[in-house]
Structures are given as C-alpha cells and as structure tokens.
Amino acid sequence: MFKVVANIRTRYRWALIAIALLISTSASLMQYYFSVQKYDAKIINMAGKQRMLSQKIAWHSNELLLSATNISEHTKALKASVVSFKKTHNYLLSKNANGEYQYLSPKLIKLYTLAPHKLDSQVATYIQQAENLLYQQGQVDKRIFSVTEVEELLKQLDHAVNLFEEQAVQKLNWVSNLELLFWLMAMFLLLVELRFVFMPMEKEIGNALSKYQKQKEFAQQVSQNKEHFIARASHEFRTPLQGLITSIEELKVSDTQQSVKTQANYCALRLIAILDELQDLQALSTGKWVPQFKNENLLESCNKVLMAYEHACQQKGLKLVSCLDESLNCVCKLDHQRLQHTLTELISNAIKFTTEGEITVSAKLFNNELCVTVSDTGCGFSKEITDLEFDSFKQTNHFQGLRTGLTRVQYVVKALHGEITFKNNEAHGALVSLHLPIIASKALPNPRKINDKLKCLVVEDNPLNTILLTRILSLLGLSYDCAENGKVACDMVSENQYDIIFMDLNMPVMDGFEAIKKIRSDLNKVMPIIVITANTSQNDIERAYKYGANLHIHKPISQQAIKDALNSISVASEIN
C-alpha cells in the first residue's frame, strides 16, 4: 500500500510541476507582451497628437502672417506647438544602439523615408518654416501653411497613425494567437497527463483497492469462520458438559471417594472455563464484550473460586490459604462472573509456578474498593512487569495455558475501571494485587421463595438437556410440559396456559427464534421467555431479545442459575 501511495504521489507531483511550468511561462510571456502593448498605445497616442499639433502650427503661423493682433499669444502658442511637434517626431523616429528604428514598422519606414511621401522630410521642412517664422531666421514659404499643403501633411500623418494602429493590432493578434497556442498546449498537456498519468494512476488505485478489499473480505470471512467455529464448538461441548456436571453433583459417594468427585467436578469446571476463555477472547478481539453487572454476594463469588482450586493444590502438595475478610459478606453490583474468571486465572498461574509452599489469597472491601492479593512461594517474575503483553508470543514464561487468560484479565480490569499490578514478594515468589471500585449494598436481600404453582413449558430438542432441566424444575417444585421443537411449542402455547417458557434456540422444524417471534406476534402471549442455549454468539442473543425474549442462560445450567433467572423476572416472593 505504501508503495502505491509513493508512486501516485510522484506521478501527481510531476503532473502538477508540468502544469505549473506551462502556466508560469504563459503568464510571464503575457505580462511581457501586455507591457509592450502599453508602449504601443503610447506611440499611437503620440502619432495622433502630431496631427493636432500640425494643425495648431498652421493656424498660429497663418495668424502671425496675416494678422497684427494678439501677436504675443500666437507666438507663445506657436512656440509650444513647434517644440512638442519636433520632440514627438524625433521620439517616433528614434533608433536603438544598432541604428534600427525602435517604433517604425517596414511600412512606416517606407512612409517616412522613401518616395513619394518622405514624411520625415515633409515634417522637417514644416518645422523649419515654423521656426523661421517664429525666430525670424530666414525667408518663410507661406505656401507651407496653406490649406492645400497642410491638408496633404495631415493626410500623411493620418496615414502614419493608421500604420501605427495596424502595427499594434498585428502585435495584439500575435499575442492573442500566442495565448491560444498556450491554451492548446495546456489542453494537450492535460490530455497527455490524463492518458499517461491519471488513467494509469486511477487503474493502479483501483487495482490496489480491489486487492485490499479482497484481503479485507478474506480477513472478515476468516474472522466470521473463527467466530462461528468457536460458537459451534462451544455449543457442542456445553451440551455433554451439562449432563456431566449435573451427574457429578448428584453422585452419592463415600468419604473416601469424595476427592475423586471433587477432581471430576474441577475438571468439568475447567473445561467450561476454557470455553469461556476462548469466547471472551473472540468478543474482545471484535469489540463486542461488555460487562454484565448483577447483584450477588461478593463473599460467595470468591469462595466458589477457592473451593474449585482446593483439589488442585492438594494434588500438588500445596497449601491454599484463604484470608477473606467479613466485609466481603455483602451484595455488590458487579460482573461477578468476570471477577471469578480473573481470580481463576491468577490462582491458576500461581499454582503452575509454585512447586512447594503455599498460595495465599487475601481479599477485603475498604472504602468502596475491593482489594485482592494472590501471593505464592514460587519462582516469581524474571523481570519487572509494568503491563501485560497482548501478544501471546511475547508473554513472559510465567504465564502459560492458552496464553489468553491474562490478556482477558487486563481487559476486564480496565473495563471495570480497576488496576492490577505484578511484582515479586520480598521473600520469595510472586505477588499480584487487584483493586476494583465497588459499591456494596448495606444489607443482604431477604431470601426469596419460588412460587411452586407456576406451570412451565420446556422447549428443547435434546433429550439429555430436557431431563436435566426438568429435574431442576422438579427440585424447585414447578410443574412443566415439554416440546421437542418450536412448532410443537407454539401449538401447545395456543392451547394451554403457561407462566414461563424455557426456550432453546437451535432446534429442527422450527428454531427458537421463529418460535419466540410467533408467540409474541401471532399468538400475542406475554409470559416470560427464558432462553437456555449453548449458543454464545452475541448477535444471536441480541436477535432473541429483539424477537421478545426476557432473559438468557448459557449452558451448562445449574439450579442456582434457574433460581436467579426466576428471581430476575420477579416470579419469586420474599420469605417472611
């Protein structure tokens, strides 16, 4: 792209330089010839003045010859006229250093110097006779000032004026032709530039834009394919994970096998965390990620993460020390899920790089700020870390795994207007400090009870998911009907009364999108619709809300997630 820009810039500059040179040359020549025209106008004016002076000389001379009155006035006027006539005549016939006439054309030279006119001689004789009369220097030939002679002189002087005008017109025509020539040259130059500069330039720009447009479309297609693959893979993984987690939770095992159950639960949760990590990274790279704020107990959110890592620490022979202050036991409006992911990444990395000793997690709420520290007795950092690298290939070896987690952590912390720092412990190991601004509620909410008289419709094509969801509804004391696709669900809604609909999105015959749209638009039903799906595409979720969904839950689901959803749509009442 830079090569194309440089090439275009060079061509464009040469084209501008050529036009500028032509315009400058044309303007300079025009200015020169216009200045010449000013002198031509001066010469024509002087030649015309000669006619008038010759008449004045004749009149004043005749008055002096024939009248005895006002002699002094006529003498004075005649003297001024003769001096001016003589001076003007000499100026018109002046020569340059090479002895050439400056203002006379060949026709004028012929008029002034050659027979039969010899206007120069006539004028000289006329001036001489006027001076003789004026200064009484000799015999005055009165015939010189007669009407016939003066008319003849005026005729020749008038002819001279015409020749001077003809000469000026020729120059003017020459300047006009020159101006036309420059215009034609400019047009020709523009055509040449159009053909050899601008048209190739346009073609080159078009080819470059076409090339980069194809590259952009290819990149967009790759991004869409990646997003689609991640969403699809997440969808396919979450369905069996839903059954796995639910089955593990319901296992009744002996005390000796409890560690095996904990390990299985940890592995399943870790798989979900990896899926969330990939999806979050995709959302971050496309700018679609936004915090999801909820009112939940801060202490419980932190404990859920610590409980998940107890088994991992036991397996590695590490001690997990929890120092959670009682100030955390309050409800805070926060993206609790992202907070848990952040703690997960920090604890996970601490465990990876600690071979012996302990992992200490401390947290407290002070002045509306959550302060969390995760310290370990591991190898620490090889150098000071002022900011996490977004390029996973440049990250320090202290961060492993998919090399996306801490990038997400930094982005999330920044979005929540927090701060995170990485440094070495004074003794040994690493110390990570997290600070997030939080506004806590003054009191815990009253416990709420689900209305057990609600009748639900479960719309799900996967039998395993149907079993898991209906089992949770049974534990909550809710009655339910099931539909295997959107078409069956719409028929059932039109014939029966339901309080809540749990709707999957990806189903055969009629998907959840079309079913939601039909329930709202065609059947005019207003009961809450909760979308339960493994599809994590933000566009699809927004589309579901556009058609009329009230809430969404991502698979795998839990009993607590269903409770929270029912509370959100206000179908639960406080326990007195």
Side-chain angles (χ1 to χ4, degrees):
M1 186 64 182
F2 293 108
K3 184 178 179 181
V4 173
V5 172
N7 190 17
I8 291 174
R9 185 186 295 115
T10 301
R11 291 186 182 185
Y12 189 66
R13 285 176 177 175
W14 280 114
L16 289 179
I17 289 172
I19 291 291
L21 288 174
L22 181 62
I23 292 175
S24 300
T25 304
S26 174
S28 299
L29 289 174
M30 290 298 106
Q31 289 297 318
Y32 169 74
Y33 285 112
F34 284 143
S35 66
V36 171
Q37 285 298 106
K38 289 192 295 185
Y39 284 106
D40 287 344
K42 179 181 178 181
I43 295 300
I44 293 171
N45 183 54
M46 293 176 69
K49 187 177 179 181
Q50 289 293 83
R51 293 182 300 185
M52 179 193 70
L53 290 172
S54 67
Q55 290 175 315
K56 289 182 69 176
I57 290 171
W59 178 56
H60 290 300
S61 297
N62 285 321
E63 287 293 324
L64 290 173
L65 290 171
L66 301 176
S67 175
T69 61
N70 299 323
I71 294 177
S72 61
E73 294 181 3
H74 288 293
T75 300
K76 183 179 179 180
L78 177 61
K79 182 178 180 180
S81 298
V82 170
V83 171
S84 179
F85 187 72
K86 184 177 181 180
K87 181 180 179 181
T88 302
H89 179 73
N90 291 334
Y91 185 86
L92 292 175
L93 272 68
S94 60
K95 297 180 180 180
N96 57 24
N98 297 325
E100 299 174 344
Y101 290 104
Q102 296 187 76
Y103 305 113
L104 300 186
S105 65
K107 289 184 179 181
L108 283 166
I109 293 174
K110 182 179 179 180
L111 175 67
Y112 273 97
T113 60
L114 301 179
H117 305 295
K118 294 186 178 181
L119 182 58
D120 183 25
S121 298
Q122 292 185 46
V123 171
T125 302
Y126 193 69
I127 292 173
Q128 182 63 47
Q129 291 300 318
E131 287 179 341
N132 289 341
L133 176 62
L134 184 63
Y135 300 114
Q136 300 295 318
Q137 295 176 348
Q139 188 68 28
V140 178
D141 188 356
K142 296 181 180 179
R143 291 179 305 141
I144 293 295
F145 305 111
S146 67
V147 174
T148 304
E149 292 295 329
V150 172
E151 284 290 340
E152 181 62 26
L153 179 61
L154 285 174
K155 180 179 178 182
Q156 299 305 322
L157 291 174
D158 188 61
H159 184 46
V161 171
N162 291 334
L163 290 178
F164 276 115
E165 290 178 345
E166 180 182 327
Q167 177 179 261
V169 169
Q170 287 178 350
K171 290 182 179 179
L172 184 64
N173 290 335
W174 192 85
V175 172
S176 177
N177 293 332
L178 184 65
E179 183 180 10
L180 178 62
L181 175 63
F182 277 114
W183 179 80
L184 292 173
M185 289 175 63
M187 292 299 102
F188 177 74
L189 181 59
L190 287 176
L191 289 175
V192 170
E193 290 181 351
L194 178 65
R195 174 64 182 85
F196 296 102
V197 177
F198 293 106
M199 289 179 66
M201 190 189 315
E202 180 184 8
K203 184 177 180 181
E204 187 173 355
I205 292 173
N207 292 337
L209 291 177
S210 176
K211 174 184 176 183
Y212 288 111
Q213 181 63 29
K214 290 179 180 178
Q215 292 179 352
K216 179 182 177 182
E217 292 174 355
F218 177 76
Q220 289 175 340
Q221 185 62 45
V222 170
S223 178
Q224 291 175 358
N225 291 341
K226 182 178 70 172
E227 183 177 359
H228 178 74
F229 172 78
I230 292 175
R232 189 63 188 172
S234 174
H235 182 277
E236 295 301 323
F237 275 112
R238 287 176 186 272
T239 298
L241 280 173
Q242 170 72 79
L244 178 61
I245 292 174
T246 304
S247 300
I248 292 173
E249 288 178 350
E250 295 189 359
L251 281 176
K252 305 298 181 181
V253 298
S254 62
D255 293 340
T256 56
Q257 294 178 321
Q258 190 64 40
S259 61
V260 178
K261 180 180 177 180
T262 303
Q263 182 180 3
N265 188 55
Y266 166 78
C267 293
L269 291 174
R270 186 56 190 154
L271 285 174
I272 295 175
I274 291 174
L275 291 176
D276 291 337
E277 185 176 333
L278 290 173
Q279 289 177 311
D280 275 354
L281 186 63
Q282 178 66 23
L284 293 176
S285 63
T286 56
K288 297 179 180 178
W289 184 86
V290 291
Q292 301 293 328
F293 294 99
K294 294 182 180 179
N295 284 311
E296 293 183 9
N297 186 281
L298 187 57
L299 182 61
E300 292 180 1
S301 296
C302 295
N303 275 325
K304 287 179 181 178
V305 177
L306 294 175
M307 290 173 60
Y309 279 96
E310 287 180 355
H311 174 75
C313 288
Q314 290 174 2
Q315 273 196 326
K316 202 168 181 181
L318 302 174
K319 182 180 180 182
L320 180 60
V321 179
S322 173
C323 301
L324 303 182
D325 193 78
E326 185 60 28
S327 59
L328 301 180
N329 190 19
C330 63
V331 173
C332 297
K333 189 172 185 179
L334 181 68
D335 192 328
H336 288 264
Q337 185 179 11
R338 293 303 181 270
L339 173 62
Q340 291 172 341
H341 287 172
T342 300
L343 292 176
T344 296
E345 291 299 332
L346 299 181
I347 297 173
S348 177
N349 275 287
I351 294 174
K352 287 175 185 175
F353 293 93
T354 304
T355 56
E356 59 180 358
E358 62 184 28
I359 311 294
T360 303
V361 180
S362 302
K364 66 177 180 178
L365 195 60
F366 181 72
N367 289 337
N368 291 327
E369 183 179 66
L370 174 62
C371 304
V372 180
T373 60
V374 179
S375 61
D376 60 62
T377 56
C379 60
F381 299 105
S382 59
K383 63 179 181 178
E384 182 182 0
I385 298 176
T386 56
D387 198 15
L388 293 180
E389 298 279 2
F390 279 92
D391 186 350
S392 62
F393 293 102
K394 294 181 180 180
Q395 288 180 356
T396 172
N397 289 332
H398 195 87
F399 308 128
Q400 294 185 353
L402 294 178
R403 288 181 176 257
T404 62
L406 286 171
T407 299
R408 291 163 54 238
V409 165
Q410 180 176 255
Y411 192 93
V412 169
V413 171
K414 185 179 294 186
L416 297 177
H417 307 289
E419 181 182 359
I420 187 168
T421 59
F422 301 84
K423 61 183 181 180
N424 288 320
N425 273 324
E426 292 183 2
H428 189 58
L431 174 65
V432 182
S433 300
L434 171 66
H435 298 272
L436 291 177
I438 290 177
I439 298 178
S441 301
K442 294 183 178 180
L444 293 173
N446 293 328
R448 300 172 66 88
K449 180 182 179 181
I450 303 299
N451 183 358
D452 56 8
K453 294 182 180 180
L454 297 176
K455 186 173 183 180
C456 308
L457 176 62
V458 176
V459 188
E460 172 66 66
D461 66 313
N462 188 294
L464 176 60
N465 291 334
T466 302
I467 293 172
L468 297 174
L469 180 53
T470 54
R471 182 184 300 165
I472 292 174
L473 295 178
S474 298
L475 293 174
L476 295 175
L478 304 179
S479 60
Y480 55 83
D481 289 335
C482 298
E484 62 270 21
N485 58 60
K487 185 177 184 305
V488 175
C490 290
D491 294 338
M492 295 177 69
V493 169
S494 63
E495 297 173 358
N496 302 286
Q497 185 66 35
Y498 295 102
D499 299 303
I500 300 173
I501 299 177
F502 293 93
M503 180 73 70
D504 187 23
L505 293 180
N506 298 320
M507 296 179 292
V509 183
M510 180 186 290
D511 61 24
F513 300 105
E514 189 65 28
I516 295 172
K517 185 177 180 181
K518 186 172 182 179
I519 290 171
R520 295 297 192 221
S521 302
D522 298 344
L523 302 180
N524 296 319
K525 299 296 183 178
V526 296
M527 77 284 287
I529 299 178
I530 300 175
V531 170
I532 298 183
T533 180
N535 188 345
T536 56
S537 171
Q538 187 63 30
N539 291 334
D540 288 344
I541 299 300
E542 291 175 359
R543 181 183 169 198
Y545 279 115
K546 179 181 178 181
Y547 287 158
N550 298 92
L551 202 65
H552 75 278
I553 303 174
H554 286 306
K555 297 175 182 177
I557 59 174
S558 64
Q559 184 174 335
Q560 185 60 46
I562 297 298
K563 282 184 179 181
D564 292 341
L566 294 175
N567 286 330
S568 297
I569 59 176
S570 300
V571 295
S573 58
E574 293 184 3
I575 300 175
N576 296 325

